[in-house]
Amino acid sequence: MMILSILLFGILLSLLCIEGWLITGLLMPKTDRTLRLSLALPMGAISNVLVIFLYTITTIPLALITLGAAHIAIICITVILSRKYGALRTEKLEARSEHWTTKKKILGILCSVLLANAFVFRAVHAVVLPSSSNEVFTNWTKRAKVS
C-alpha cells in the first residue's frame, strides 16, 4: 500500500510539474530553462488550487478522476496554445562567469540545507502520516457549506 501511495504521489507531482512547465512557457515565452523549471511546480500548484476552487463552486465532486481529467485537459489546452504561439521552445542564455565569494558560498550552502530539511520533513509527513480515511478528501466541501 505504501509503494502505491509513493507511486501515485510521484505521478501526480510529475503531472503538476509538466502542467506548470507548459503554463510558464505560455506566460513567459522568452525565459531560460532554469527559470521555467524552478517555476514549474509553483505554477502547477496554483492551477491545482484554481481547479479545486472551481470544482468547489460548481459542486463537482473532488475525486481523483475529475481532478485528473481537469489537469489533463489543461495540459492538452496548453500544448495546443504552445504549438500555436511557439512557446515550447526555450531560450538558452549565455553563461556569465561569476566569481563566488565566501559569503555567497555560505549563503548557498545554508539555503540548500534549509531546502533539504523542508523537503525531507514534508516528504516524511506525506508518506508516514497519510489520511486515515477517504472522508478527509471527499467531505470537506460539505462541511464547509454547513458551517
Side-chain angles (χ1 to χ4, degrees), residues 79-140:
V79 165
I80 290 169
L81 290 175
S82 295
R83 286 180 185 238
K84 182 177 180 182
Y85 296 114
L88 287 177
R89 286 176 257 130
T90 57
E91 300 286 326
K92 187 166 185 175
L93 300 177
E94 294 179 15
R96 294 181 291 174
S97 70
E98 273 188 37
H99 179 68
W100 280 62
T101 62
T102 307
K103 289 181 182 179
K104 283 186 180 180
K105 287 180 185 177
I106 291 172
L107 185 63
I109 291 171
L110 180 66
C111 288
S112 299
V113 167
L114 289 173
L115 283 174
N117 184 22
F119 177 76
V120 168
F121 178 80
R122 289 185 179 112
V124 166
H125 278 79
V127 174
V128 175
L129 302 171
S131 298
S132 59
S133 66
N134 193 24
E135 179 203 3
V136 174
F137 298 112
T138 56
N139 293 334
W140 71 274

Short mmCIF file of all heavy atoms in Angstrom, two decimals, residues 79-140:
data_model
loop_
_atom_site.label_atom_id
_atom_site.label_comp_id
_atom_site.label_asym_id
_atom_site.label_seq_id
_atom_site.Cartn_x
_atom_site.Cartn_y
_atom_site.Cartn_z
N VAL A 79 -0.71 22.68 -24.48
CA VAL A 79 0.11 22.16 -25.58
C VAL A 79 -0.38 22.74 -26.90
O VAL A 79 0.43 23.17 -27.75
CB VAL A 79 0.10 20.61 -25.60
CG1 VAL A 79 0.62 20.08 -26.92
CG2 VAL A 79 0.93 20.07 -24.46
N ILE A 80 -1.69 22.79 -27.09
CA ILE A 80 -2.24 23.34 -28.34
C ILE A 80 -1.88 24.82 -28.46
O ILE A 80 -1.43 25.28 -29.52
CB ILE A 80 -3.77 23.13 -28.38
CG1 ILE A 80 -4.08 21.64 -28.56
CG2 ILE A 80 -4.41 23.95 -29.50
CD1 ILE A 80 -5.54 21.29 -28.37
N LEU A 81 -2.06 25.58 -27.39
CA LEU A 81 -1.71 27.00 -27.43
C LEU A 81 -0.21 27.22 -27.58
O LEU A 81 0.22 28.16 -28.26
CB LEU A 81 -2.21 27.70 -26.16
CG LEU A 81 -3.72 27.86 -26.03
CD1 LEU A 81 -4.08 28.45 -24.68
CD2 LEU A 81 -4.28 28.70 -27.16
N SER A 82 0.59 26.36 -26.97
CA SER A 82 2.05 26.49 -27.09
C SER A 82 2.50 26.22 -28.52
O SER A 82 3.40 26.89 -29.03
CB SER A 82 2.75 25.53 -26.14
OG SER A 82 2.47 25.86 -24.82
N ARG A 83 1.89 25.24 -29.17
CA ARG A 83 2.25 24.98 -30.57
C ARG A 83 1.82 26.13 -31.46
O ARG A 83 2.51 26.48 -32.41
CB ARG A 83 1.61 23.69 -31.04
CG ARG A 83 2.28 22.47 -30.47
CD ARG A 83 1.61 21.23 -30.98
NE ARG A 83 2.18 20.08 -30.33
CZ ARG A 83 2.75 19.09 -30.98
NH1 ARG A 83 2.79 19.11 -32.28
NH2 ARG A 83 3.26 18.09 -30.33
N LYS A 84 0.69 26.73 -31.14
CA LYS A 84 0.19 27.84 -31.94
C LYS A 84 1.10 29.06 -31.81
O LYS A 84 1.39 29.73 -32.79
CB LYS A 84 -1.23 28.19 -31.52
CG LYS A 84 -1.85 29.29 -32.34
CD LYS A 84 -3.27 29.54 -31.93
CE LYS A 84 -3.87 30.66 -32.78
NZ LYS A 84 -5.23 30.95 -32.38
N TYR A 85 1.54 29.34 -30.59
CA TYR A 85 2.34 30.53 -30.35
C TYR A 85 3.84 30.23 -30.27
O TYR A 85 4.62 31.15 -30.01
CB TYR A 85 1.88 31.23 -29.07
CG TYR A 85 0.48 31.76 -29.18
CD1 TYR A 85 -0.54 31.23 -28.40
CD2 TYR A 85 0.17 32.76 -30.07
CE1 TYR A 85 -1.83 31.70 -28.51
CE2 TYR A 85 -1.12 33.23 -30.19
CZ TYR A 85 -2.12 32.70 -29.40
OH TYR A 85 -3.39 33.17 -29.52
N GLY A 86 4.24 29.00 -30.44
CA GLY A 86 5.66 28.66 -30.42
C GLY A 86 6.31 28.81 -29.07
O GLY A 86 7.48 29.15 -28.98
N ALA A 87 5.59 28.55 -28.03
CA ALA A 87 6.13 28.75 -26.68
C ALA A 87 6.81 27.50 -26.12
O ALA A 87 7.28 27.51 -25.00
CB ALA A 87 5.02 29.17 -25.73
N LEU A 88 6.87 26.42 -26.89
CA LEU A 88 7.52 25.21 -26.38
C LEU A 88 9.04 25.31 -26.43
O LEU A 88 9.74 24.61 -25.73
CB LEU A 88 7.05 23.98 -27.16
CG LEU A 88 5.63 23.52 -26.88
CD1 LEU A 88 5.27 22.34 -27.76
CD2 LEU A 88 5.46 23.14 -25.44
N ARG A 89 9.54 26.19 -27.27
CA ARG A 89 10.99 26.36 -27.36
C ARG A 89 11.49 27.18 -26.20
O ARG A 89 10.85 28.14 -25.79
CB ARG A 89 11.36 27.04 -28.68
CG ARG A 89 11.24 26.09 -29.85
CD ARG A 89 11.52 26.79 -31.15
NE ARG A 89 10.20 27.01 -31.76
CZ ARG A 89 9.78 28.14 -32.24
NH1 ARG A 89 10.54 29.20 -32.21
NH2 ARG A 89 8.58 28.26 -32.76
N THR A 90 12.64 26.82 -25.69
CA THR A 90 13.23 27.58 -24.59
C THR A 90 14.49 28.26 -25.07
O THR A 90 15.18 27.78 -25.96
CB THR A 90 13.56 26.67 -23.40
OG1 THR A 90 14.44 25.64 -23.85
CG2 THR A 90 12.33 26.07 -22.80
N GLU A 91 14.75 29.39 -24.49
CA GLU A 91 15.94 30.14 -24.84
C GLU A 91 17.11 29.66 -24.00
O GLU A 91 16.97 29.41 -22.81
CB GLU A 91 15.72 31.63 -24.57
CG GLU A 91 14.58 32.24 -25.35
CD GLU A 91 14.90 32.44 -26.79
OE1 GLU A 91 16.07 32.74 -27.10
OE2 GLU A 91 14.00 32.27 -27.62
N LYS A 92 18.25 29.54 -24.63
CA LYS A 92 19.46 29.21 -23.88
C LYS A 92 20.27 30.49 -23.76
O LYS A 92 20.78 31.01 -24.75
CB LYS A 92 20.25 28.11 -24.56
CG LYS A 92 21.40 27.65 -23.73
CD LYS A 92 21.99 26.37 -24.23
CE LYS A 92 23.05 25.93 -23.26
NZ LYS A 92 23.58 24.66 -23.58
N LEU A 93 20.35 31.00 -22.56
CA LEU A 93 21.05 32.26 -22.33
C LEU A 93 22.54 32.01 -22.21
O LEU A 93 23.00 30.92 -21.85
CB LEU A 93 20.52 32.93 -21.07
CG LEU A 93 19.03 33.27 -21.08
CD1 LEU A 93 18.63 33.86 -19.75
CD2 LEU A 93 18.72 34.23 -22.20
N GLU A 94 23.30 33.04 -22.50
CA GLU A 94 24.75 32.92 -22.39
C GLU A 94 25.14 32.82 -20.92
O GLU A 94 24.61 33.52 -20.07
CB GLU A 94 25.41 34.15 -23.00
CG GLU A 94 25.20 34.28 -24.49
CD GLU A 94 25.86 35.54 -25.03
OE1 GLU A 94 26.69 36.13 -24.31
OE2 GLU A 94 25.53 35.92 -26.14
N ALA A 95 26.08 31.95 -20.65
CA ALA A 95 26.54 31.77 -19.28
C ALA A 95 27.49 32.91 -18.90
O ALA A 95 28.39 33.25 -19.65
CB ALA A 95 27.24 30.44 -19.13
N ARG A 96 27.23 33.49 -17.76
CA ARG A 96 28.11 34.52 -17.24
C ARG A 96 29.05 33.90 -16.24
O ARG A 96 28.65 33.06 -15.44
CB ARG A 96 27.31 35.62 -16.55
CG ARG A 96 26.42 36.39 -17.46
CD ARG A 96 25.71 37.45 -16.70
NE ARG A 96 24.74 36.82 -15.79
CZ ARG A 96 24.04 37.48 -14.90
NH1 ARG A 96 24.18 38.76 -14.76
NH2 ARG A 96 23.18 36.85 -14.13
N SER A 97 30.27 34.29 -16.30
CA SER A 97 31.21 33.75 -15.31
C SER A 97 31.21 34.69 -14.11
O SER A 97 31.58 35.85 -14.20
CB SER A 97 32.62 33.64 -15.91
OG SER A 97 33.15 34.91 -16.11
N GLU A 98 30.71 34.18 -13.02
CA GLU A 98 30.66 34.95 -11.79
C GLU A 98 31.64 34.34 -10.79
O GLU A 98 31.75 33.13 -10.69
CB GLU A 98 29.26 34.91 -11.18
CG GLU A 98 28.35 35.96 -11.69
CD GLU A 98 27.05 35.97 -10.90
OE1 GLU A 98 27.09 35.75 -9.68
OE2 GLU A 98 26.02 36.19 -11.53
N HIS A 99 32.26 35.19 -10.08
CA HIS A 99 33.14 34.72 -9.02
C HIS A 99 32.33 34.62 -7.73
O HIS A 99 31.75 35.59 -7.29
CB HIS A 99 34.32 35.67 -8.85
CG HIS A 99 35.25 35.25 -7.77
ND1 HIS A 99 36.02 34.12 -7.87
CD2 HIS A 99 35.52 35.80 -6.56
CE1 HIS A 99 36.73 33.98 -6.75
NE2 HIS A 99 36.44 34.99 -5.95
N TRP A 100 32.30 33.42 -7.19
CA TRP A 100 31.56 33.21 -5.94
C TRP A 100 32.42 33.61 -4.76
O TRP A 100 33.46 33.01 -4.50
CB TRP A 100 31.15 31.74 -5.83
CG TRP A 100 29.95 31.42 -6.65
CD1 TRP A 100 29.84 31.50 -7.99
CD2 TRP A 100 28.69 30.97 -6.16
NE1 TRP A 100 28.59 31.13 -8.38
CE2 TRP A 100 27.87 30.80 -7.28
CE3 TRP A 100 28.19 30.71 -4.90
CZ2 TRP A 100 26.56 30.38 -7.17
CZ3 TRP A 100 26.89 30.28 -4.80
CH2 TRP A 100 26.08 30.13 -5.92
N THR A 101 31.96 34.59 -4.02
CA THR A 101 32.68 34.98 -2.82
C THR A 101 32.35 34.00 -1.70
O THR A 101 31.46 33.16 -1.82
CB THR A 101 32.29 36.41 -2.40
OG1 THR A 101 30.89 36.42 -2.10
CG2 THR A 101 32.59 37.40 -3.51
N THR A 102 33.04 34.13 -0.62
CA THR A 102 32.82 33.25 0.52
C THR A 102 31.42 33.44 1.09
O THR A 102 30.76 32.47 1.48
CB THR A 102 33.87 33.52 1.61
OG1 THR A 102 35.16 33.45 1.03
CG2 THR A 102 33.77 32.52 2.74
N LYS A 103 30.94 34.68 1.12
CA LYS A 103 29.60 34.94 1.63
C LYS A 103 28.54 34.26 0.77
O LYS A 103 27.57 33.72 1.28
CB LYS A 103 29.34 36.45 1.69
CG LYS A 103 30.10 37.17 2.75
CD LYS A 103 29.76 38.64 2.76
CE LYS A 103 30.57 39.37 3.80
NZ LYS A 103 30.29 40.81 3.81
N LYS A 104 28.71 34.32 -0.56
CA LYS A 104 27.75 33.67 -1.45
C LYS A 104 27.78 32.15 -1.28
O LYS A 104 26.73 31.49 -1.34
CB LYS A 104 28.04 34.03 -2.91
CG LYS A 104 27.58 35.40 -3.30
CD LYS A 104 27.76 35.61 -4.78
CE LYS A 104 27.31 36.98 -5.20
NZ LYS A 104 27.47 37.20 -6.64
N LYS A 105 28.95 31.59 -1.10
CA LYS A 105 29.05 30.14 -0.89
C LYS A 105 28.35 29.73 0.40
O LYS A 105 27.61 28.75 0.43
CB LYS A 105 30.51 29.71 -0.86
CG LYS A 105 31.18 29.74 -2.21
CD LYS A 105 32.63 29.30 -2.09
CE LYS A 105 33.33 29.45 -3.41
NZ LYS A 105 34.76 29.10 -3.34
N ILE A 106 28.58 30.48 1.47
CA ILE A 106 27.95 30.16 2.75
C ILE A 106 26.44 30.30 2.65
O ILE A 106 25.68 29.45 3.14
CB ILE A 106 28.53 31.06 3.88
CG1 ILE A 106 29.98 30.69 4.15
CG2 ILE A 106 27.70 30.95 5.15
CD1 ILE A 106 30.69 31.62 5.09
N LEU A 107 25.97 31.36 2.00
CA LEU A 107 24.54 31.55 1.82
C LEU A 107 23.93 30.44 0.96
O LEU A 107 22.85 29.94 1.26
CB LEU A 107 24.27 32.93 1.18
CG LEU A 107 22.83 33.32 1.02
CD1 LEU A 107 22.17 33.45 2.39
CD2 LEU A 107 22.70 34.61 0.25
N GLY A 108 24.63 30.03 -0.08
CA GLY A 108 24.15 28.93 -0.92
C GLY A 108 24.06 27.62 -0.15
O GLY A 108 23.08 26.87 -0.29
N ILE A 109 25.06 27.34 0.65
CA ILE A 109 25.04 26.11 1.46
C ILE A 109 23.92 26.17 2.49
O ILE A 109 23.19 25.19 2.69
CB ILE A 109 26.42 25.90 2.13
CG1 ILE A 109 27.47 25.55 1.07
CG2 ILE A 109 26.35 24.81 3.20
CD1 ILE A 109 28.89 25.53 1.59
N LEU A 110 23.74 27.33 3.14
CA LEU A 110 22.68 27.49 4.13
C LEU A 110 21.30 27.30 3.50
O LEU A 110 20.45 26.59 4.04
CB LEU A 110 22.79 28.86 4.79
CG LEU A 110 21.75 29.17 5.86
CD1 LEU A 110 21.95 28.25 7.06
CD2 LEU A 110 21.84 30.62 6.27
N CYS A 111 21.09 27.90 2.34
CA CYS A 111 19.80 27.74 1.64
C CYS A 111 19.58 26.29 1.22
O CYS A 111 18.46 25.78 1.32
CB CYS A 111 19.73 28.67 0.44
SG CYS A 111 19.56 30.40 0.87
N SER A 112 20.62 25.64 0.75
CA SER A 112 20.49 24.23 0.36
C SER A 112 20.14 23.34 1.55
O SER A 112 19.31 22.44 1.44
CB SER A 112 21.79 23.74 -0.28
OG SER A 112 22.08 24.49 -1.43
N VAL A 113 20.75 23.60 2.69
CA VAL A 113 20.45 22.82 3.89
C VAL A 113 19.01 23.05 4.34
O VAL A 113 18.29 22.11 4.69
CB VAL A 113 21.45 23.15 5.02
CG1 VAL A 113 20.99 22.60 6.36
CG2 VAL A 113 22.82 22.62 4.68
N LEU A 114 18.56 24.30 4.31
CA LEU A 114 17.18 24.60 4.71
C LEU A 114 16.17 23.97 3.74
O LEU A 114 15.14 23.44 4.17
CB LEU A 114 16.97 26.11 4.79
CG LEU A 114 17.66 26.81 5.97
CD1 LEU A 114 17.51 28.32 5.84
CD2 LEU A 114 17.09 26.33 7.28
N LEU A 115 16.45 24.03 2.45
CA LEU A 115 15.55 23.42 1.47
C LEU A 115 15.52 21.90 1.62
O LEU A 115 14.46 21.28 1.53
CB LEU A 115 15.97 23.81 0.05
CG LEU A 115 15.58 25.21 -0.38
CD1 LEU A 115 16.18 25.52 -1.74
CD2 LEU A 115 14.09 25.36 -0.43
N ALA A 116 16.69 21.29 1.84
CA ALA A 116 16.73 19.85 2.04
C ALA A 116 15.97 19.45 3.30
O ALA A 116 15.23 18.46 3.30
CB ALA A 116 18.18 19.37 2.10
N ASN A 117 16.11 20.22 4.36
CA ASN A 117 15.40 19.95 5.60
C ASN A 117 13.89 20.04 5.38
O ASN A 117 13.13 19.17 5.83
CB ASN A 117 15.84 20.93 6.68
CG ASN A 117 15.20 20.65 8.01
OD1 ASN A 117 14.76 19.54 8.27
ND2 ASN A 117 15.15 21.66 8.85
N ALA A 118 13.43 21.07 4.69
CA ALA A 118 12.00 21.23 4.43
C ALA A 118 11.48 20.11 3.55
O ALA A 118 10.38 19.57 3.77
CB ALA A 118 11.74 22.59 3.79
N PHE A 119 12.24 19.72 2.53
CA PHE A 119 11.81 18.65 1.64
C PHE A 119 11.70 17.32 2.38
O PHE A 119 10.71 16.61 2.24
CB PHE A 119 12.77 18.51 0.46
CG PHE A 119 12.43 17.37 -0.45
CD1 PHE A 119 11.36 17.48 -1.33
CD2 PHE A 119 13.14 16.19 -0.41
CE1 PHE A 119 11.01 16.44 -2.15
CE2 PHE A 119 12.81 15.14 -1.22
CZ PHE A 119 11.74 15.26 -2.11
N VAL A 120 12.69 17.00 3.18
CA VAL A 120 12.65 15.74 3.93
C VAL A 120 11.49 15.74 4.92
O VAL A 120 10.76 14.74 5.04
CB VAL A 120 14.00 15.50 4.65
CG1 VAL A 120 13.91 14.37 5.65
CG2 VAL A 120 15.09 15.22 3.63
N PHE A 121 11.28 16.85 5.62
CA PHE A 121 10.18 16.95 6.58
C PHE A 121 8.84 16.72 5.89
O PHE A 121 8.00 15.95 6.34
CB PHE A 121 10.21 18.33 7.25
CG PHE A 121 9.10 18.56 8.22
CD1 PHE A 121 9.16 18.03 9.50
CD2 PHE A 121 7.98 19.30 7.86
CE1 PHE A 121 8.14 18.24 10.40
CE2 PHE A 121 6.96 19.52 8.75
CZ PHE A 121 7.03 18.99 10.03
N ARG A 122 8.62 17.39 4.76
CA ARG A 122 7.34 17.26 4.07
C ARG A 122 7.17 15.88 3.44
O ARG A 122 6.06 15.34 3.44
CB ARG A 122 7.22 18.36 3.02
CG ARG A 122 7.01 19.69 3.68
CD ARG A 122 6.77 20.79 2.67
NE ARG A 122 6.56 22.05 3.37
CZ ARG A 122 7.40 23.07 3.33
NH1 ARG A 122 8.49 22.99 2.62
NH2 ARG A 122 7.13 24.17 4.00
N ALA A 123 8.23 15.33 2.90
CA ALA A 123 8.13 14.01 2.28
C ALA A 123 7.82 12.94 3.33
O ALA A 123 6.99 12.06 3.10
CB ALA A 123 9.43 13.67 1.55
N VAL A 124 8.47 13.03 4.48
CA VAL A 124 8.21 12.05 5.55
C VAL A 124 6.78 12.18 6.04
O VAL A 124 6.08 11.17 6.23
CB VAL A 124 9.23 12.24 6.70
CG1 VAL A 124 8.79 11.50 7.95
CG2 VAL A 124 10.60 11.76 6.27
N HIS A 125 6.31 13.39 6.24
CA HIS A 125 4.93 13.56 6.71
C HIS A 125 3.91 13.17 5.66
O HIS A 125 2.82 12.70 6.00
CB HIS A 125 4.71 14.99 7.18
CG HIS A 125 5.19 15.22 8.57
ND1 HIS A 125 6.52 15.41 8.86
CD2 HIS A 125 4.53 15.27 9.74
CE1 HIS A 125 6.66 15.58 10.15
NE2 HIS A 125 5.47 15.49 10.72
N ALA A 126 4.24 13.33 4.39
CA ALA A 126 3.30 12.93 3.34
C ALA A 126 3.20 11.42 3.22
O ALA A 126 2.14 10.88 2.92
CB ALA A 126 3.73 13.53 2.00
N VAL A 127 4.29 10.72 3.49
CA VAL A 127 4.29 9.26 3.33
C VAL A 127 3.93 8.56 4.63
O VAL A 127 3.15 7.61 4.64
CB VAL A 127 5.68 8.79 2.81
CG1 VAL A 127 5.75 7.29 2.78
CG2 VAL A 127 5.93 9.36 1.43
N VAL A 128 4.47 9.01 5.75
CA VAL A 128 4.29 8.31 7.01
C VAL A 128 2.94 8.63 7.65
O VAL A 128 2.33 7.78 8.29
CB VAL A 128 5.44 8.67 7.99
CG1 VAL A 128 5.22 8.05 9.35
CG2 VAL A 128 6.75 8.21 7.42
N LEU A 129 2.45 9.83 7.49
CA LEU A 129 1.20 10.23 8.12
C LEU A 129 0.09 10.45 7.08
O LEU A 129 -0.40 11.56 6.92
CB LEU A 129 1.40 11.52 8.93
CG LEU A 129 2.46 11.48 10.02
CD1 LEU A 129 2.69 12.86 10.57
CD2 LEU A 129 2.05 10.52 11.11
N PRO A 130 -0.29 9.40 6.37
CA PRO A 130 -1.35 9.60 5.37
C PRO A 130 -2.71 9.79 6.06
O PRO A 130 -2.88 9.51 7.24
CB PRO A 130 -1.34 8.31 4.57
CG PRO A 130 -0.84 7.30 5.53
CD PRO A 130 0.14 8.02 6.42
N SER A 131 -3.66 10.28 5.32
CA SER A 131 -5.00 10.45 5.88
C SER A 131 -5.58 9.09 6.21
O SER A 131 -5.44 8.13 5.46
CB SER A 131 -5.89 11.17 4.88
OG SER A 131 -5.37 12.44 4.61
N SER A 132 -6.25 9.02 7.34
CA SER A 132 -6.75 7.72 7.80
C SER A 132 -7.99 7.29 7.06
O SER A 132 -8.32 6.12 7.04
CB SER A 132 -7.02 7.77 9.30
OG SER A 132 -7.98 8.77 9.57
N SER A 133 -8.69 8.22 6.45
CA SER A 133 -9.89 7.82 5.72
C SER A 133 -10.07 8.70 4.50
O SER A 133 -9.47 9.77 4.39
CB SER A 133 -11.12 7.94 6.62
OG SER A 133 -11.34 9.30 6.93
N ASN A 134 -10.88 8.24 3.61
CA ASN A 134 -11.16 8.98 2.39
C ASN A 134 -12.05 10.18 2.67
O ASN A 134 -12.18 11.06 1.85
CB ASN A 134 -11.82 8.04 1.37
CG ASN A 134 -11.85 8.64 0.00
OD1 ASN A 134 -11.05 9.51 -0.32
ND2 ASN A 134 -12.78 8.19 -0.82
N GLU A 135 -12.65 10.22 3.84
CA GLU A 135 -13.57 11.29 4.19
C GLU A 135 -12.90 12.66 4.18
O GLU A 135 -13.52 13.66 3.84
CB GLU A 135 -14.15 11.03 5.59
CG GLU A 135 -15.08 12.10 6.04
CD GLU A 135 -15.20 12.15 7.55
OE1 GLU A 135 -14.52 11.39 8.24
OE2 GLU A 135 -15.98 12.98 8.00
N VAL A 136 -11.63 12.70 4.49
CA VAL A 136 -10.91 13.96 4.52
C VAL A 136 -10.93 14.63 3.15
O VAL A 136 -11.06 15.84 3.04
CB VAL A 136 -9.45 13.72 4.98
CG1 VAL A 136 -8.63 14.98 4.88
CG2 VAL A 136 -9.42 13.16 6.38
N PHE A 137 -10.84 13.82 2.09
CA PHE A 137 -10.77 14.39 0.75
C PHE A 137 -12.14 14.61 0.12
O PHE A 137 -12.30 15.47 -0.71
CB PHE A 137 -9.95 13.48 -0.16
CG PHE A 137 -8.53 13.32 0.29
CD1 PHE A 137 -8.08 12.11 0.77
CD2 PHE A 137 -7.66 14.39 0.27
CE1 PHE A 137 -6.77 11.97 1.19
CE2 PHE A 137 -6.37 14.26 0.69
CZ PHE A 137 -5.92 13.05 1.16
N THR A 138 -13.13 13.84 0.51
CA THR A 138 -14.40 13.91 -0.19
C THR A 138 -15.45 14.76 0.50
O THR A 138 -16.32 15.31 -0.17
CB THR A 138 -14.97 12.50 -0.38
OG1 THR A 138 -15.09 11.87 0.89
CG2 THR A 138 -14.09 11.67 -1.29
N ASN A 139 -15.41 14.89 1.82
CA ASN A 139 -16.50 15.56 2.53
C ASN A 139 -16.15 16.93 3.08
O ASN A 139 -16.96 17.53 3.76
CB ASN A 139 -16.99 14.67 3.67
CG ASN A 139 -17.65 13.41 3.15
OD1 ASN A 139 -18.16 13.40 2.04
ND2 ASN A 139 -17.62 12.36 3.93
N TRP A 140 -14.95 17.44 2.81
CA TRP A 140 -14.58 18.73 3.41
C TRP A 140 -15.40 19.86 2.81
O TRP A 140 -15.67 20.85 3.49
CB TRP A 140 -13.10 18.98 3.31
CG TRP A 140 -12.59 19.27 1.94
CD1 TRP A 140 -12.22 18.38 1.01
CD2 TRP A 140 -12.39 20.55 1.36
NE1 TRP A 140 -11.82 18.99 -0.11
CE2 TRP A 140 -11.90 20.34 0.05
CE3 TRP A 140 -12.59 21.84 1.78
CZ2 TRP A 140 -11.60 21.38 -0.80
CZ3 TRP A 140 -12.27 22.88 0.92
CH2 TRP A 140 -11.79 22.65 -0.35
#
